[in-house]
């Protein structure tokens, strides 16, 4: 079997074909395993590299939790965090502080009787996940958040 194509205007060497095939194979492997989006190991550790988008579904521990109906999103930036339960209309916001490995966001609404209705998210990194709790006066839930493949840290930062 010849590596030369009769309809190709320029001769192609065997070395050039093998080089291109090797490069294409490496590129396909890197893209399929996320190798170009971040290095394995340290970058996957949520404590060392928490920036980006994290998703997970709340699981009710007690009370009435309509927020368990859809996945929730945690967005971590350099100095700010935002947690959106059930990807709904309300977003809890917080500032990243000097305490590494702790995330806190909250939103205080008013209920129908004009009494405060606090919504609070607390999270801590554990390996490649962020484990969190969510609470309101009517509900308490927990969540395990992971990075979606399409929302790696570099995708989030625009690289």
């Amino acid at each position: 079997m010849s590596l030369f194509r009769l309809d190709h205007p320029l001769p192609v060497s065997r070395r050039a074909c093998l080089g291109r095939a090797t490069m294409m194979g490496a590129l396909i492997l890197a893209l399929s395993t996320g190798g170009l989006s971040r290095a394995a190991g340290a970058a996957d550790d949520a404590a060392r590299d928490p920036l980006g988008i994290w998703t997970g579904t709340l699981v009710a521990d007690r009370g009435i939790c309509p927020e368990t109906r859809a996945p929730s999103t945690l967005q971590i930036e350099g100095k700010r965090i935002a947690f959106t339960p059930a990807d709904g209309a309300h977003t809890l916001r917080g500032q990243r502080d000097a305490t590494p490995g702790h995330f806190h966001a909250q939103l205080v609404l008013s209920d129908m009787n004009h009494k405060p209705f606090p919504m609070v998210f607390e999270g801590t990194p554990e390996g490649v996940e962020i484990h969190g709790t969510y609470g309101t006066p009517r509900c308490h839930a927990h969540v395990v958040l992971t990075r979606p493949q399409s929302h790696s840290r570099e995708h989030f930062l625009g690289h």
Side-chain angles (χ1 to χ4, degrees):
M1 180 172 159
S2 173
L3 292 177
F4 296 90
R5 291 180 40 194
L6 295 176
D7 60 341
H8 195 281
L10 297 174
V12 178
S13 72
R14 176 175 280 210
R15 179 177 284 166
C17 284
L18 291 175
R20 285 186 194 136
T22 303
M23 287 175 51
M24 288 302 293
L27 179 61
I28 290 168
L29 179 64
L31 289 173
S32 67
T33 61
L36 290 182
S37 63
R38 62 182 175 264
D44 286 339
D45 187 343
R48 285 184 260 184
D49 184 22
L51 298 181
I53 303 287
W54 300 80
T55 61
T57 302
L58 289 161
V59 177
D61 295 323
R62 68 174 183 269
I64 300 169
C65 295
E67 297 87 351
T68 60
R69 70 184 180 279
S72 299
T73 301
L74 174 64
Q75 180 177 342
I76 302 175
E77 298 176 357
K79 299 207 184 257
R80 296 178 289 164
I81 70 164
F83 180 75
T84 308
D87 287 342
H90 300 296
T91 299
L92 291 63
R93 301 196 183 276
Q95 298 288 322
R96 288 188 58 200
D97 58 17
T99 308
H102 179 75
F103 304 106
H104 173 86
Q106 66 183 28
L107 175 64
V108 179
L109 302 173
S110 294
D111 67 12
M112 291 177 17
N113 297 323
H114 304 287
K115 293 185 179 177
F117 186 85
M119 303 167 76
V120 178
F121 169 80
E122 300 279 339
T124 56
E126 292 188 28
V128 296
E129 303 168 333
I130 294 178
H131 291 223
T133 58
Y134 168 78
T136 70
R138 69 169 185 245
C139 159
H140 187 272
H142 68 273
V143 64
V144 175
L145 301 152
T146 58
R147 291 184 207 260
Q149 278 297 95
S150 63
H151 288 100
S152 67
R153 180 179 187 269
E154 284 74 17
H155 174 81
F156 173 72
L157 296 173
H159 291 114

